[in-house]
């Protein structure tokens, strides 16, 4: 029997929760649209998988040719509550009917304030907190840096190897990887310093002492090359996303946070990818009891509508003068309504528990797969943010070719997966947290078969 999702809350027929491959991937209708895209859309905007979407919900994405793909991507960690989640649609539609925009900086509205109140409650720490809302993750990170600079009256920003923070000018500077994010787009913003991160799998002396050693190296570099007294902010992803789903080895984050505290530096946790139940906790930094001074959120916050936030200690957030933060659309009322619907869904369905269950299923199966296939060098991640790192057997040499081939084979078989990693050799799994277990297991079957054929 095929399960369906009531996510057809848009009024259409329920979307069958099944994998269905009817045509070549991409099919003829998608190919027609791809030809139109080629003529009308800039080449710099690429597609991972050019199947054109008709509907999406629960754990599937249905394309214009009638294929239905199991979704292990969630639009890059966005649709954690599913696509078209009931509460997101209900609240957004009601808001659309009332008003679409006034600009919060001109005539404000309750939704924005309610989102800020939710953020104060959900983010770590019981100190007084305030928020400012924006449109994209990159914009949130830029504003976190502005706020930290205004508060500390210092300029330097410290970021980490393998970090990703966006594609605007400042966030390109904060991002580690050249291709495709930075190449040819310089000059980049000044006063950005990059230091080592505790990448256990690739740490020269092994994972055991990695946290401690990497922190010592990072802090030494900051002291010698920048001077702690010049640093406004350290910005770090508690689980690094685009860089390869790297969980900094235990002890690393607490040591960096402690250093920041001792030196009057604003500790910014970029939870844009890892936040909002993705790792089985509201925020990934809770795992080691970190209480960031500022936290940036986006993606999962609003069930697919564009919304982002900086949340943090009230006295830091208030350091920027009135009019210094904002933007025409930041905290758009429809996006705020969607966020309130997404948060309602996360609470009601206990999506943290669902994320932990997804981890259990995936880690168990991927662990066994790794025993059979030495090309899987590492299985890691938390909650529904899980990855495998592919290497040449018997070595740790990255195998980006196999990674790309595996992604393509999965796509052809009706499983939407994404890759990442500084070396392009990590397959990442980011299913919607509402995906059914049958579909999750079927997706893993597809992956196993594809790997068995290729490896
Ligand atoms: N920070 C992190 C950790 C991210 O994963 C991303 C997006 N992948 C960003 C910032 C940038 O967000 P956006 O694409 O919404 O600008």
């Amino acid at each position: 029997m095929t399960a369906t999702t009531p996510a057809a809350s848009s009024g259409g027929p329920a979307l069958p929760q099944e994998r269905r491959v009817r045509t070549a991937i991409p099919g003829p209708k998608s190919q027609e649209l791809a030809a139109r895209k080629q003529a009308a859309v800039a080449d710099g905007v690429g597609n991972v998988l050019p199947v054109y979407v008709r509907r999406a919900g629960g754990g599937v994405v249905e394309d214009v040719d009638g294929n239905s793909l199991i979704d292990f991507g969630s639009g890059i960690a966005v649709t954690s509550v599913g696509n078209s989640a009931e509460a997101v649609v209900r609240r957004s539609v009601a808001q659309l009917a009332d008003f679409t925009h006034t600009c919060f900086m001109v005539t404000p509205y309750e939704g924005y304030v309610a989102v800020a109140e939710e953020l104060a409650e959900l983010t770590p720490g019981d100190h007084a907190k305030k928020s400012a809302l924006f449109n994209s993750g990159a914009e949130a990170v830029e504003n976190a840096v502005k706020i930290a600079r205004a508060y500390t009256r210092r300029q330097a920003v410290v970021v980490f190897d393998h970090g990703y923070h966006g594609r605007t000018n400042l966030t390109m500077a904060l991002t580690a990887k050249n291709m495709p994010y930075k190449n040819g787009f310089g000059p980049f913003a000044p006063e950005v310093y990059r230091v080592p991160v505790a990448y256990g799998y690739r740490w020269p002396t092994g994972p055991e002492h990695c946290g401690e050693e990497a922190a010592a190296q990072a802090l030494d570099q900051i002291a010698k090359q920048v001077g702690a007294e010049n640093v406004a902010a350290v910005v770090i992803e508690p689980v690094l996303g685009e860089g390869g789903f790297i969980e900094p080895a235990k002890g690393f984050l607490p040591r960096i946070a402690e250093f920041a505290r001792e030196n009057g530096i604003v500790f910014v946790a970029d939870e844009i990818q890892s936040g909002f139940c993705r790792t089985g906790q509201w925020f990934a930094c809770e795992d080691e009891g970190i209480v960031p001074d500022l936290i940036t959120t986006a993606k999962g916050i609003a069930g697919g509508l564009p919304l982002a936030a900086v949340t943090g200690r009230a006295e830091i957030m208030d350091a920027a003068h009135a009019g210094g933060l904002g933007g025409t659309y930041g905290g758009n009322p429809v996006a705020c309504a969607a966020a309130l619907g997404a948060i309602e869904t996360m609470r009601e369905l206990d999506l943290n528990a669902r994320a932990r269950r997804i981890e259990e299923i995936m880690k168990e199966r991927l662990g066994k797969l790794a025993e059979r296939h030495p090309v899987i060098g590492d299985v890691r991640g938390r909650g529904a943010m899980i990855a495998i790192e592919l290497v040449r057997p018997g070595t740790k040499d990255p195998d980006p070719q196999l990674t790309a081939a595996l992604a393509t084979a999965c796509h052809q078989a009706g499983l939407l997966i994404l890759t990442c990693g500084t070396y392009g050799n990590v397959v990442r799994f980011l299913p919607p947290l509402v995906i059914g277990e049958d579909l999750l297991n079927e997706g893993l079957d597809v992956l196993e078969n594809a790997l068995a054929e290729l490896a």
Side-chain angles (χ1 to χ4, degrees):
M1 200 179 73
T2 305
T4 56
T5 170
S9 29
S10 46
L15 187 58
Q17 293 298 294
E18 64 180 9
R19 180 171 62 101
R20 191 172 64 240
V21 181
R22 285 191 175 146
T23 70
I25 303 275
K29 287 186 181 150
S30 280
Q31 288 182 34
E32 259 175 60
L33 286 161
R36 280 171 55 194
K37 183 227 173 205
Q38 176 58 35
V41 178
D43 284 353
V45 186
N47 302 128
V48 170
L49 172 57
V51 300
Y52 280 71
V53 178
R54 185 161 60 194
R55 296 190 301 173
V60 298
V61 172
E62 190 181 82
D63 76 7
V64 289
D65 290 290
N67 301 301
S68 173
L69 283 77
I70 298 175
D71 183 9
F72 275 11
S74 298
I76 321 186
V78 171
T79 53
S80 299
V81 295
N83 231 299
S84 308
E86 188 278 331
V88 172
V89 175
R90 170 170 38 82
R91 288 182 184 249
S92 305
V93 166
Q95 181 58 51
L96 274 167
D98 284 346
F99 63 95
T100 55
H101 174 83
T102 61
C103 185
F104 190 77
M105 299 184 306
V106 180
T107 47
Y109 37 86
E110 184 182 349
Y112 188 117
V113 179
V115 170
E117 288 167 348
E118 286 285 20
L119 284 162
E121 183 174 328
L122 295 171
T123 52
D126 47 19
H127 49 277
K129 289 177 215 155
K130 290 192 173 186
S131 289
L133 304 184
F134 304 97
N135 303 293
S136 70
E139 215 188 330
V141 174
E142 290 240 357
N143 278 279
V145 170
K146 281 168 65 174
I147 293 164
R149 283 176 170 162
Y151 178 70
T152 58
R153 300 178 187 272
R154 303 173 181 174
Q155 294 188 352
V157 181
V158 170
V159 289
F160 294 81
D161 282 340
H162 309 286
Y164 179 89
H165 302 286
R167 285 181 164 92
T168 57
N169 187 264
L170 174 59
T171 58
M172 275 193 294
L174 303 180
T175 290
K177 190 175 173 178
N178 177 49
M179 252 333 241
Y181 308 125
K182 303 168 75 161
N183 196 45
F185 298 140
F188 304 112
E191 286 306 312
V192 173
Y193 301 89
R194 188 172 314 287
V195 298
V197 77
Y199 189 168
Y201 177 64
R202 293 196 174 276
W203 196 252
T205 56
E208 204 181 315
H209 303 292
C210 172
E212 206 181 305
E213 289 176 10
Q217 282 188 18
L219 299 186
D220 185 59
Q221 286 187 17
I222 296 170
K224 300 278 167 21
Q225 297 175 22
V226 197
E229 67 278 16
N230 296 312
V231 180
V234 293
V235 184
I236 188 160
E237 300 157 84
V239 177
L240 287 80
E242 304 302 312
F245 282 24
I246 301 161
E247 293 173 86
K250 291 288 178 229
F252 183 79
L253 289 173
R255 183 66 194 103
I256 301 293
E258 180 188 44
F259 169 80
R261 206 164 43 243
E262 287 167 358
N263 290 281
I265 298 168
V266 176
F267 182 93
V268 182
D270 180 348
E271 293 251 14
I272 286 164
Q273 190 156 163
S274 58
F276 281 103
C277 307
R278 179 51 59 186
T279 65
Q281 294 180 295
W282 282 98
F283 296 97
C285 60
E286 291 168 47
D287 198 56
E288 284 187 276
I290 307 282
V291 177
D293 298 313
L294 300 181
I295 180 164
T296 55
T297 52
K299 293 188 185 277
I301 189 175
L305 274 85
L307 189 72
V310 183
T311 302
R313 295 185 189 280
E315 68 275 17
I316 300 179
M317 291 298 298
D318 282 340
H321 52 274
L325 306 178
T328 305
Y329 293 115
N332 168 273
V334 183
C336 287
L340 296 171
I343 293 167
E344 177 187 323
T345 308
M346 291 174 206
R347 282 205 183 94
E348 255 175 30
L349 301 181
D350 191 0
L351 291 188
N352 280 319
R354 298 280 276 267
R356 291 194 293 270
R357 175 71 185 140
I358 289 171
E359 172 177 350
E360 207 179 338
I361 294 173
M362 286 202 135
K363 282 255 180 91
E364 146 110 42
R365 289 197 56 181
L366 294 171
K368 284 187 182 146
L369 196 64
E371 282 167 20
R372 291 206 301 278
H373 294 288
V375 293
I376 301 181
D378 197 23
V379 178
R380 58 174 179 256
R382 291 207 294 274
M385 188 171 183
I386 303 286
I388 52 177
E389 174 153 3
L390 300 181
V391 293
R392 296 183 211 288
T395 74
K396 287 189 178 177
D397 299 345
D399 195 341
Q401 290 81 16
L402 175 64
T403 309
L406 181 62
T408 303
C410 288
H411 296 165
Q412 301 298 330
L415 172 66
L416 176 46
I417 54 168
L418 306 173
T419 61
C420 65
T422 299
Y423 314 108
N425 69 324
V426 176
V427 178
R428 55 172 154 174
F429 308 107
L430 290 163
L433 306 180
V434 296
I435 193 171
E437 280 190 22
D438 289 357
L439 221 47
L440 185 69
N441 275 305
E442 189 176 337
L444 291 166
D445 294 341
V446 172
L447 178 84
E448 279 187 26
N449 293 338
L451 193 62
E453 276 183 23
L454 288 168

